Amino acid sequence: MIREETRRKLRDLNLEELIQYLEMEHIETQSHDLSFDERFQMMTDYLYQEKYTDKVHRLLKNARLRLPKAEINDIYYADRGISKTMILELGTCQFMDRNMNIVFQGYTGSGKTYLACAVAKQACKLQYRRKYIRIPDLLMEYDESTLLKNGPQKILRKYSTYPLLILDEWLLEEISENEQFFLFELIERRHDTASTIFCTQFKKENWHKWLGGGAHADAMMDRIIYNSIFVETGTFNMREYFSAKREYLNMDSK
């Protein structure tokens, strides 16, 4: 039985999981037949797994993925023309070791956000900090920050530090000159230091116009295009497919 003073010390060390294990181990009398090294190994494995699981849960919560249940192994490939080998490779997050970006480009409903969230979730499991945000929400946050002292600088520092940043609905709407400068500064700070996933309906040939067509557009495209993996998500409408599938299953269950 663990003494109360020992419990207190373990809690002070933030080792509540170790208390749980020792209490279970006290009940599991068969473990008493193991050597000290074997028992210590079991205890270490349990503590690591519990700490790892807690950290992943925190990372997932803080990332605020639009589709938190997206899984790399649940991706639908038939009729989409997407390379399963490529997606699984992206799921290893080795692109982050090289500070490379990913661009998921395709029509509305083609599953860009799901793919981005699935890759981001893999990054979470590998204990990378990452953040999901829609460009309209990011620009709204920026516009509000301009009313505060050093507000834009704080926003830039916040979003430039994530090892992986997911920018959904990239170039969905026209952006002002100030917003162009803000996006340029963000991309400049992240260039060659972190990875970004872009989800967009527009092919890169059309980006220059949507980014304002000036020097900032040139600079942003130069920093993104030559350091990105482009994944075409095709024209197959995943929302329509799964909606029809749900209707079929509902009819079949009646």
Side-chain angles (χ1 to χ4, degrees):
M1 186 67 70
I2 312 173
R3 293 188 305 159
E4 193 58 40
E5 178 64 11
T6 303
R7 291 172 184 271
R8 183 189 65 78
K9 290 178 180 178
L10 289 173
R11 288 194 175 99
D12 286 346
L13 293 171
N14 194 28
L15 291 174
E16 183 70 35
E17 297 88 354
L18 184 53
I19 296 174
Q20 297 170 5
Y21 175 81
L22 292 172
E23 289 177 340
M24 289 190 300
E25 201 254 359
H26 178 73
I27 297 173
E28 297 287 341
T29 54
Q30 64 268 25
S31 66
H32 296 172
D33 297 330
L34 301 175
S35 68
F36 173 79
D37 287 345
E38 290 172 326
R39 292 173 63 184
F40 185 77
Q41 183 63 54
M42 289 175 60
M43 180 178 66
T44 302
D45 291 344
Y46 177 86
L47 184 60
Y48 177 83
Q49 186 59 46
E50 289 297 308
K51 288 288 187 183
Y52 168 80
T53 300
D54 287 345
K55 184 175 182 179
V56 169
H57 285 165
R58 288 196 302 272
L59 288 170
L60 269 173
K61 181 179 179 180
N62 293 336
R64 297 189 177 183
L65 296 179
R66 186 171 184 178
L67 301 173
K69 293 183 179 180
E71 291 285 354
I72 204 85
N73 292 323
D74 293 339
I75 293 172
Y76 179 85
Y77 292 97
D79 305 316
R80 300 180 70 187
I82 300 175
S83 169
K84 183 175 182 179
T85 301
M86 174 185 282
I87 298 300
L88 293 178
E89 175 66 23
L90 294 178
T92 66
C93 296
Q94 292 182 25
F95 69 94
M96 294 181 63
D97 296 334
R98 305 190 298 275
N99 297 320
M100 293 191 69
N101 307 313
I102 303 174
V103 178
F104 289 114
Q105 187 274 315
Y107 287 83
T108 298
S110 61
K112 302 182 294 294
T113 301
Y114 189 97
L115 290 167
C117 289
V119 172
K121 195 168 184 178
Q122 289 298 109
C124 172
K125 293 177 181 178
L126 294 172
Q127 304 187 55
Y128 289 107
R129 289 174 59 246
R130 71 277 185 280
K131 184 72 172 180
Y132 167 94
I133 190 166
R134 297 167 59 249
I135 285 292
D137 293 334
L138 176 62
L139 294 180
M140 186 181 299
E141 192 172 340
Y142 161 72
D143 290 339
E144 292 173 351
S145 76
T146 60
L147 303 176
L148 305 173
K149 184 179 179 180
N150 298 322
Q153 290 301 316
K154 291 178 181 178
I155 295 294
L156 283 171
R157 283 197 298 270
K158 173 183 175 181
Y159 287 102
S160 63
T161 57
Y162 290 104
L164 180 61
L165 178 65
I166 302 94
L167 297 178
D168 202 354
E169 299 182 5
W170 174 249
L171 304 182
L172 184 64
E173 300 173 350
E174 291 187 15
I175 53 179
S176 68
E177 189 172 336
N178 287 338
E179 291 169 342
Q180 293 168 27
F181 180 74
F182 166 74
L183 288 177
F184 164 73
E185 282 295 320
L186 178 60
I187 290 168
E188 165 62 21
R189 293 188 185 201
R190 295 184 59 79
H191 180 59
D192 277 343
T193 63
S195 295
T196 307
I197 296 179
F198 300 87
C199 300
T200 181
Q201 298 179 34
F202 297 96
K203 292 183 179 294
K204 59 186 175 183
E205 293 82 6
N206 301 320
W207 285 17
H208 195 267
K209 177 183 71 174
W210 284 97
L211 288 170
H216 285 140
D218 292 337
M220 279 188 274
M221 291 188 66
D222 185 68
R223 285 160 177 75
I224 297 172
I225 289 176
Y226 301 113
N227 194 39
S228 294
I229 301 165
F230 282 79
V231 181
E232 295 287 334
T233 59
T235 61
F236 190 84
N237 194 310
M238 296 301 297
R239 292 195 187 98
E240 182 180 352
Y241 169 78
F242 281 110
S243 176
K245 186 175 181 180
R246 282 193 297 270
E247 290 181 8
Y248 174 79
L249 291 174
N250 289 335
M251 291 175 60
D252 193 49
S253 63
K254 292 180 180 179

